[in-house]
Amino acid sequence: MRPRALALTLGLAFSLGACDPAPSRPPRPTRPTRRPDVAAARANAVESLVPAVDASLPAPLARCLARARESLSPTLSDALESLDAPGLLEDACRLELSARTRDPSLCADVHLSALRERCESRAAIAQGEPDRCPRALGLRGRDPVCVAVAARAPRMCELCVGDDRPRCLALALGQPARCDAASPEVRPLCRQEQRALADAFAPLRAVTRPTLEVTLSEAPVGDASLGADAGAALPLPALSRGVWRDTAGALWIVDPSLGWPDAIPVGGTETLVSVRFDVAAARRGSAPAEARLILPGRVALDTSEGTLTARATLRSNPRGRGERAVGEVTLAGSATGERVGRVLRFDAIVRDVVPADDLR
């Protein structure tokens, strides 16, 4: 075969072989599924837990809530979910903004009652409006810490007892170190409140500690003997925190935790006294007063029952919160044939101005 013919034959064979289908390759293994997007999963969890920011909310509240949603950690998400508290973030923002914006209306829609009262307290303090302070837990009238600081009257912090006193002074004077005098469990809250209110008003100046003293002494009644303890003054520390003025112009001396004591047949182991009289009348001279006197183991005496008479004299003119009230009330009564005479002397400051019904 000639060389040219051989080349053509080999080329044709090669071309025909190239047209045969190539052997099939094994299928490429499927790529493993991508790891779940943790950030997206957490965002979905937060979205289901915390409703979307309501466009109708005030702008500062909406911004605070948006920031809180973005910074919510998985741990906190789990905690909120376990508490079933989807409104807690909004409550926290309302609490934060109440002092900064001095807007008490933010507190109205706070879900948790404890946070609502704290919100109202911060807003009242920031505004300097003691009439907006929430009611005190377990006491008559408004929260004494809130009233003292909102009234810008540090001397009224002396009306507070226990942990409330260092809290009150820390807020009023702008001195977080005062919180160290509170019990360990209260110190964090005290410092948190002080920081929240630090820019709400200028720190106040410390004042001389006021006189807070109410005592009860025996007094003669007609020819009755005073006995061995004649003239002995019994301190009544609870009453020293309970000097009030009502909105009708009367002064009340009552225990803040007790109010006007209930009518009981025979007294227990404590001496209980409550007095109410008109300030203007007592300023002019001895004026009639409403009173109840319950001595240990004795029958209760009450002016409303005709078993007790009371007359009050004021040597000061307490017109409002933080003002000094000085005077005395003479009490004379008789029950089961026994005549009783006492003098109630007081030197204290007005704790608050409230409706009379709050003190019963």
Side-chain angles (χ1 to χ4, degrees):
M1 183 177 294
R2 293 181 179 180
R4 181 178 177 82
L6 178 61
L8 290 173
T9 302
L10 290 175
L12 179 60
F14 180 81
S15 300
L16 292 174
C19 293
D20 289 340
S24 60
R25 294 182 178 180
R28 178 176 293 179
T30 305
R31 295 182 65 181
T33 305
R34 295 179 61 187
R35 293 181 59 189
D37 191 332
V38 176
R42 181 166 67 85
N44 291 337
V46 172
E47 189 68 31
S48 64
L49 178 66
V50 184
V53 177
D54 188 344
S56 67
L57 292 176
L61 179 58
R63 288 194 296 268
C64 176
L65 190 54
R67 288 195 306 269
R69 285 165 51 85
E70 292 171 1
S71 63
L72 197 62
S73 69
T75 301
L76 187 54
S77 295
D78 291 343
L80 290 174
E81 188 172 8
S82 65
L83 290 173
D84 190 22
L88 189 57
L89 285 182
E90 185 176 329
D91 284 0
C93 281
R94 290 179 180 275
L95 176 64
E96 176 189 341
L97 294 171
S98 61
R100 187 188 306 170
T101 64
R102 296 176 172 84
D103 184 2
S105 67
L106 287 168
C107 306
D109 292 325
V110 173
H111 299 79
L112 298 179
S113 60
L115 288 183
R116 188 184 313 118
E117 291 172 1
R118 194 173 302 169
C119 180
E120 292 169 349
S121 178
R122 289 186 182 181
I125 290 173
Q127 282 190 312
E129 293 285 351
D131 286 335
R132 291 186 176 273
C133 289
R135 292 184 63 86
L137 181 62
L139 298 176
R140 297 300 187 274
R142 303 178 180 91
D143 173 34
V145 174
C146 178
V147 170
V149 186
R152 308 295 189 250
R155 68 197 309 256
M156 293 180 65
C157 290
E158 294 300 324
L159 299 174
C160 304
V161 296
D163 290 328
D164 280 348
R165 184 173 294 171
R167 278 184 55 231
C168 184
L169 291 170
L171 299 181
L173 306 180
Q175 298 174 356
R178 296 269 185 174
C179 296
D180 294 341
S183 57
E185 60 271 17
V186 174
R187 290 171 197 164
L189 172 61
C190 177
R191 289 181 176 274
Q192 180 191 56
E193 287 182 320
Q194 196 281 323
R195 286 195 301 270
L197 291 163
D199 297 327
F201 61 94
L204 306 174
R205 296 177 57 187
V207 296
T208 304
R209 182 169 179 167
T211 301
L212 297 172
E213 184 177 39
V214 178
T215 62
L216 187 68
S217 304
E218 262 194 277
V221 180
D223 298 330
S225 171
L226 293 178
D229 59 349
L234 173 67
L236 300 173
L239 294 190
S240 70
R241 300 187 296 117
V243 181
W244 313 73
R245 216 182 137 149
D246 69 23
T247 51
L251 194 74
W252 296 64
I253 305 175
V254 295
D255 183 337
S257 61
L258 181 64
W260 201 267
D262 294 332
I264 54 178
V266 178
T269 59
E270 293 184 82
T271 296
L272 302 178
V273 187
S274 56
V275 176
R276 173 187 177 276
F277 56 87
D278 183 76
V279 170
R283 281 280 297 153
R284 293 191 294 266
S286 179
E290 179 185 359
R292 176 170 290 166
L293 174 64
I294 305 175
L295 300 173
R298 300 190 188 182
V299 174
L301 305 174
D302 198 306
T303 53
S304 65
E305 298 172 356
T307 56
L308 184 70
T309 61
R311 300 196 67 83
T313 303
L314 264 176
R315 296 193 294 276
S316 64
N317 187 21
R319 292 167 294 182
R321 299 178 184 94
E323 297 195 15
R324 192 177 180 188
V326 183
E328 62 184 33
V329 181
T330 58
L331 305 165
S334 175
T336 64
E338 181 182 18
R339 304 174 74 182
V340 174
R342 295 291 187 273
V343 177
L344 183 73
R345 295 183 174 87
F346 55 92
D347 186 351
I349 57 178
V350 177
R351 176 191 182 102
D352 203 356
V353 180
V354 298
D357 290 344
D358 287 357
L359 301 171
R360 292 289 184 181

